[in-house]
Amino acid sequence: SPGRARHINASRRACLVARFGFIYTQERFDAETLLKTYISDMETVQRIIYTAAVESFYAAKMAYWKFKIRVKEALSLSHLGPESLEDAVLDYIVCHKDAYDVHASVKEVIRSMNINPKISFPPEIDFIVLSTLIQELCCLAFSMQTLVPPLDVAFGIDGELFNESKYYRSADSDFTAAFVAYHVWPALMEDGVVIVKGEVVTKR
């Protein structure tokens, strides 16, 4: 029933949002600790992790889109109802998330990071060391696409005006600065509205 579907969607949403928070507080910290054994500059470490998060969401969204097309083509041959084809496709994907090739997404993320001019220069680090974090983020992002509406991370650019409703400032920020120097963690969005704030460093 529609009421049950809404309840299930709300329960899954709450679990996924909580998982996003846990990755931010725990697994991001673990990744920082790991990277600091290779790279002494904290800004570079934080830029790398932020890029990994954003690229993971992008790769998972692309994989979801391709997966959804394949499922829709397959189900359209035999679908009779009573639910709509779109709902049937969504139900199928939710029940068969294990069919998502997350390892392909992880490779895609690492490839993108290797050609990113802001973070690709450190020769002392192979981004494959972040595979565990990237895999967690890709799986989370893929699952977030099955929500109605889906969840996504905000797009951030260096030098943007600091937005208090979108970000927290890191402890080492200049709290009088009006502009974002760089991003530490992306904000989580639903239909253009921030539901979990991200983290940035502001400097003059």
Side-chain angles (χ1 to χ4, degrees), residues 22-39 42 44-46 48-50 52-53 113 125-127 129-134 136-137 184-185:
F22 179 80
I23 292 174
Y24 166 68
T25 55
Q26 185 60 53
E27 296 179 37
R28 175 187 65 91
F29 178 77
D30 293 343
E32 269 189 9
T33 303
L34 175 64
L35 286 180
K36 281 191 286 189
T37 62
Y38 301 94
I39 301 167
M42 192 58 180
T44 302
V45 167
Q46 291 179 325
I48 288 171
I49 292 172
Y50 173 78
M113 291 174 71
I125 181 73
D126 185 335
F127 294 134
V129 300
L130 294 177
S131 291
T132 301
L133 175 67
I134 293 168
E136 284 291 325
L137 285 164
V184 175
W185 193 251

Side-chain angles (χ1 to χ4, degrees), residues 72-115:
K72 197 168 190 175
E73 287 174 350
L75 291 186
S76 64
L77 301 174
S78 57
H79 180 71
L80 298 172
E83 62 183 347
S84 69
L85 176 60
E86 195 68 24
D87 287 345
V89 168
L90 203 55
D91 287 347
Y92 180 92
I93 296 173
V94 168
C95 293
H96 296 85
K97 290 197 300 289
D98 291 348
Y100 165 43
D101 186 358
V102 66
H103 299 294
S105 288
V106 171
K107 288 179 183 175
E108 182 61 27
V109 171
I110 292 171
R111 187 196 67 78
S112 296
M113 291 174 71
N114 280 328
I115 59 173

